[in-house]
Amino acid sequence: MKAWILMLLALSLPVVAMAEEAGEGAPKVSYVTLNPPLVGNYALDGNTRLRVYKADVALRVTGDEAVKTVKYHEPLIRNQLVALFAQQTVESMNNVEAKEKLRQEALKQTQQVLSDEEGKPVVEDLLFNNLIVQ
């Protein structure tokens, strides 16, 4: 029985060592959620009913410094995203493909804002945790 336990311990040590090595040098990936969610109107053309969206947005970054940078510039990021959503049409908010295109454009504009302010895009990805349109 003791031999069995010793063998299990011996086999698990290399795995623990590899996990510690990977954890020490690898930067930490974080998701920064924009709170409160973005809420506003879209497709305003005067001839149709009022259309409303609510978007829960998370930004993926790597490293604690990137988290601080995104939080510092959050008002500017939010402003850019609200302006982008306000420009949308019913068609661009109606189906999965169009929403994916909107997500990619939101990422591109967020990265552009941070590149202008910080000299690098900082944000690696933008996710819609929830996107409701009415």
Side-chain angles (χ1 to χ4, degrees), residues 21-36:
E21 288 174 14
E24 286 178 14
K28 180 179 149 191
V29 173
S30 299
Y31 293 89
V32 179
T33 302
L34 302 183
N35 280 320

Side-chain angles (χ1 to χ4, degrees), residues 19-72:
E20 286 178 0
E21 288 174 14
E24 286 178 14
K28 180 179 149 191
V29 173
S30 299
Y31 293 89
V32 179
T33 302
L34 302 183
N35 280 320
L38 303 172
V39 178
N41 300 319
Y42 73 99
L44 298 175
D45 62 8
N47 297 328
T48 61
R49 65 184 177 93
L50 185 63
R51 301 200 181 266
V52 180
Y53 71 88
K54 177 184 173 194
D56 291 311
V57 177
L59 306 173
R60 187 180 78 204
V61 297
T62 300
D64 293 335
E65 194 61 36
V67 171
K68 290 176 189 173
T69 300
V70 166
K71 288 184 178 186
Y72 179 78

Side-chain angles (χ1 to χ4, degrees), residues 117-132:
E117 295 297 315
E118 294 290 325
K120 57 184 176 180
V122 181
V123 174
E124 297 163 4
D125 203 1
L126 181 145
L127 307 168
F128 292 144
N129 291 334
N130 199 5
L131 179 57
I132 301 170

Side-chain angles (χ1 to χ4, degrees), residues 98-133:
K99 288 179 182 176
E100 175 59 19
K101 187 175 176 184
L102 174 61
R103 186 192 71 78
Q104 291 175 359
E105 182 61 27
L107 171 61
K108 180 180 165 189
Q109 289 192 21
T110 300
Q111 289 175 329
Q112 185 61 51
V113 164
L114 289 168
S115 290
D116 292 347
E117 295 297 315
E118 294 290 325
K120 57 184 176 180
V122 181
V123 174
E124 297 163 4
D125 203 1
L126 181 145
L127 307 168
F128 292 144
N129 291 334
N130 199 5
L131 179 57
I132 301 170
V133 293

